[in-house]
Amino acid sequence: MALELPKFGNKEKKAKEVSPKNDVMLKVMDFFDKNPIMKILVPVILFLILAGVIIFLIFGDGVLSGDNVPSDSDISANSNQVEVLPGGNLIKDKEVVELIDNDPLSEDVLASAKYKGYVKGSSGLKTALIQIGSAGDTLTLSKGEEIGSWELIEIASDYVVFKAGDVTKKINR
């Protein structure tokens, strides 16, 4: 009586098994055999995607060219707000408040105004510090904001310009 040992690894069985990697490749090749137009279409689509990405990187938003400085038209009063001084833009001087209430277009509204300087935010927005009235109220105004009907239209390092209707008034530092 002979003792038989079990046989490990049947060579015939191994030949029939397909590894998962080869199985995927066989399915891909089968797909392209059944759809010959895809042999042309897939590389064309991949090329167009690659070309689009390259064009966006070169001409897109200016990140590569360093042209990310905002222009004055890109900056609005709400794009970068900072509270420079507590208390908001309240005018406590009763004379100035009466002038604004009676005649907001009067040049006397800005008669006591003094330009103290400006603060520039990270987006490039300038906020002017304007002292007005005998109470020394300091207003923080961005381009487009108003005192009465006087709209702030320009902020420079040594002056600001207000406009009401057709009249402009420059206040130096």
Side-chain angles (χ1 to χ4, degrees), residues 21-132:
K21 184 177 179 181
N22 289 340
D23 189 38
V24 170
M25 287 301 295
L26 288 175
K27 288 181 180 180
V28 169
M29 296 303 286
D30 186 42
F31 172 78
F32 282 114
D33 288 340
K34 289 180 183 175
N35 303 298
I37 191 74
M38 295 305 283
K39 290 179 183 178
I40 297 169
L41 198 56
V42 169
V44 168
I45 290 172
L46 291 175
F47 174 77
L48 290 175
I49 291 171
L50 180 64
V53 168
I54 291 171
I55 289 172
F56 175 76
L57 288 175
I58 293 173
F59 300 110
D61 58 357
V63 171
L64 292 179
S65 65
D67 187 24
N68 56 359
V69 177
S71 66
D72 285 341
S73 63
D74 295 336
I75 299 171
S76 69
N78 294 325
S79 65
N80 186 21
Q81 289 191 355
V82 159
E83 187 171 344
V84 178
L85 299 171
N89 283 343
L90 298 175
I91 300 174
K92 296 176 189 141
D93 189 332
K94 294 182 189 226
E95 291 177 21
V96 176
V97 172
E98 280 183 28
L99 281 171
I100 292 172
D101 288 342
N102 293 335
D103 187 10
L105 293 172
S106 170
E107 287 190 39
D108 294 335
V109 170
L110 297 176
S112 65
K114 296 175 186 157
Y115 178 48
K116 295 298 185 178
Y118 70 91
V119 177
K120 187 174 182 180
S122 61
S123 70
L125 177 70
K126 293 179 182 177
T127 303
L129 302 172
I130 310 290
Q131 191 174 25
I132 191 164

